Amino acid sequence: MILSDKRILEEIEAGSIIIEPFKRECLGTNSYDVHLGKYLAVYKDRVLDAKKHNEIEHFEIPKDGFVLQPNTLYLGVTLEYTETHKHVPFLEGKSSTGRLGIDIHATAGKGDVGFCNTWTLEISVAQPVRIYTGMPIGQLIYFVVEGEIETMYATKINAKYNNKTTRPVESMMWKNQF
């Protein structure tokens, strides 16, 4: 089941969902709109290696916006910091974002119960498009979990994305053993 607007508000009141900053007008019928933070990043190398630590370069989106180009993977970040202690959060694009040809995640739309951070976005575009800090970029929806959680994400020893940040985070695939 997906949480309704009233249920999201109840869970915020109970402290099981935290959204900072929270703006009531961003709450939809069954989702919460999140916005693009001020930092983007690109990988330094054009060819990425899954076994290597692929480094990124961060930059700030200028006041007059930044034009994203096709065939480049941009890492963005949500303005909102979130915590989810009882539900599975999913980050999906907004229809208005999609209609501009902007994809906000390649495969990482699902968060884990216990995830506490900003969301790194894997942004790609179908054609050049200018983006701005603070623009609506996606929406969080929350699913009910069936059963008890054994280990929350924030307490997992091998969790790779636990360090609180306001900047996009590069792939940590290289930390896996394969």
Side-chain angles (χ1 to χ4, degrees):
M1 292 188 319
I2 297 173
L3 299 188
S4 68
D5 52 0
K6 287 183 178 184
R7 188 59 189 267
I8 292 169
L9 288 171
E10 290 169 4
E11 296 299 333
I12 288 172
E13 183 68 27
S16 65
I17 293 175
I18 295 171
I19 302 171
E20 296 173 352
F22 176 82
K23 295 181 180 175
R24 180 66 173 82
E25 64 269 19
C26 296
L27 184 62
T29 305
N30 54 288
S31 63
Y32 185 85
D33 288 350
V34 292
H35 302 81
L36 184 62
K38 67 180 178 178
Y39 295 106
L40 290 177
V42 292
Y43 283 98
K44 290 182 180 181
D45 295 327
R46 192 70 182 160
V47 176
L48 304 177
D49 185 335
K51 287 192 174 190
K52 274 181 37 180
H53 183 186
N54 298 282
E55 296 181 13
I56 57 175
E57 296 175 327
H58 291 97
F59 60 95
E60 198 168 325
I61 300 170
K63 294 274 188 230
D64 60 346
F66 179 80
V67 178
L68 300 174
Q69 298 294 330
N71 302 313
T72 299
L73 175 63
Y74 298 91
L75 298 179
V77 67
T78 58
L79 180 68
E80 291 82 5
Y81 167 87
T82 68
E83 295 184 11
T84 310
H85 300 286
K86 287 177 34 181
H87 303 90
V88 178
F90 272 72
L91 177 64
E92 294 296 336
K94 293 183 62 57
S95 62
S96 298
T97 306
R99 291 173 192 183
L100 291 173
I102 301 170
D103 290 324
I104 66 164
H105 65 76
T107 61
K110 180 193 69 65
D112 286 303
V113 178
F115 177 75
C116 303
N117 214 336
T118 55
W119 290 69
T120 292
L121 311 169
E122 303 110 16
I123 302 172
S124 59
V125 295
Q127 66 187 64
V129 60
R130 184 175 300 274
I131 60 166
Y132 302 88
T133 298
M135 68 182 274
I137 196 73
Q139 54 192 342
L140 286 171
I141 55 177
Y142 297 94
F143 286 83
V144 173
V145 174
E146 181 70 29
E148 289 185 40
I149 304 296
E150 182 178 62
T151 307
M152 301 285 268
Y153 184 82
T155 61
K156 286 177 66 173
I157 294 169
N158 62 344
K160 296 184 286 273
Y161 304 104
N162 263 341
N163 295 331
K164 190 173 178 180
T165 183
T166 58
R167 293 177 182 246
V169 177
E170 68 272 27
S171 172
M172 297 294 170
M173 176 65 78
W174 59 276
K175 290 185 174 186
N176 293 310
Q177 299 296 316
F178 60 97

